[in-house]
Amino acid sequence: MNDFIKRFQKIVKKFPNNIALHVNNYASYTYMDLEQKSNALASFLLEKNITPNCLIVLMIEKSAEYIIALLAVWKIECAFIPLDPELPIERKNFILKETNPAGILYKNNNGNYYYDLMHNNAYILNLAYIIFTSGSSGFPKGAMISHAGIMPFIDAQIKAFNLNSNSKVLFYISTQFDASISDIGTTLLSGATLV
């Protein structure tokens, strides 16, 4: 199990009833809610015969469901690619062709998760995610980020921003940008609330 998930589960034990996510004044999720929902989704993915180190596309808009999916993918020791459903079809097709993912996880209008199997490929051990550049210098390029690479950065930001279990963090940045992982990670690993 990667260090992020180990640390997240320690936070769940320490602050199970703290609000982890507060969504648009209509829904709140505690740390225990996130743990249970991400465990259920991880089980769903394992039933699809996904093996560790696969690459899974998260075609889910910025939402609580996106964060639950991210946690579930990391719990089964896979990596993800964020792919906003609103992106132009050409960019989505380019990213899918470049990465050759094992499959795509998405939610339908009824709120149910679905997984479409594409390939059954293994990827680099300990890869956390692949994020694509904007492509302003030509074609978008995928940057592969390892779990070992994100943890020191998240820890430094928690310290620099003085985050703790009473903090509230705005989830402002698009999931298509690397900094969104900072918003999510600094919040969930400090026991704070992501708004």
Side-chain angles (χ1 to χ4, degrees), residues 6-126:
K6 287 179 189 173
R7 289 263 305 278
F8 172 72
Q9 290 174 335
K10 286 180 182 176
I11 292 291
V12 171
K13 287 179 183 173
K14 190 172 182 180
F15 305 110
N17 298 315
N18 275 22
I19 301 299
L21 303 176
H22 182 73
V23 185
N24 294 339
N25 293 323
Y26 73 85
S28 292
Y29 299 81
T30 66
Y31 275 87
M32 186 55 71
D33 291 335
L34 280 189
E35 176 71 356
Q36 291 170 345
K37 288 178 182 298
S38 61
N39 283 344
L41 183 55
S43 294
F44 167 81
L45 291 171
L46 290 173
E47 289 170 6
K48 304 295 181 187
N49 296 319
I50 296 172
T51 57
N53 305 314
C54 283
L55 186 58
I56 299 172
V57 169
L58 301 184
M59 197 174 302
I60 303 170
E61 69 281 350
K62 184 170 74 170
S63 61
E65 290 77 15
Y66 174 84
I67 295 169
I68 291 164
L70 178 156
L71 291 170
V73 166
W74 283 351
K75 284 181 176 185
I76 62 169
E77 300 182 30
C78 289
F80 73 90
I81 301 170
L83 197 59
D84 191 317
E86 299 298 317
L87 285 175
I89 190 72
E90 296 82 11
R91 182 170 171 95
K92 286 193 277 195
N93 287 340
F94 174 82
I95 290 171
L96 292 172
K97 183 178 177 188
E98 284 291 301
T99 57
N100 196 30
I104 301 174
L105 182 65
Y106 61 96
K107 287 198 77 147
N108 69 2
N109 292 334
N110 297 328
N112 297 318
Y113 286 101
Y114 283 88
Y115 181 77
D116 286 339
L117 181 67
M118 295 181 71
H119 306 284
N120 197 13
N121 295 339
Y123 283 79
I124 299 170
L125 189 64
N126 204 31

Side-chain angles (χ1 to χ4, degrees), residues 111-178:
N112 297 318
Y113 286 101
Y114 283 88
Y115 181 77
D116 286 339
L117 181 67
M118 295 181 71
H119 306 284
N120 197 13
N121 295 339
Y123 283 79
I124 299 170
L125 189 64
N126 204 31
L127 187 65
Y129 61 94
I130 297 177
I131 199 99
F132 274 77
T133 64
S134 64
S136 57
S137 63
F139 289 106
K141 296 170 185 68
M144 298 190 305
I145 311 298
S146 71
H147 286 286
I150 62 174
M151 291 307 297
F153 182 70
I154 287 173
D155 286 338
Q157 285 192 325
I158 289 171
K159 185 176 178 182
F161 301 151
N162 198 26
L163 295 176
N164 59 50
S165 61
N166 296 314
S167 300
K168 293 189 179 3
V169 178
L170 181 62
F171 189 21
Y172 180 73
I173 298 170
S174 165
T175 59
Q176 299 309 123
F177 294 101
D178 206 28

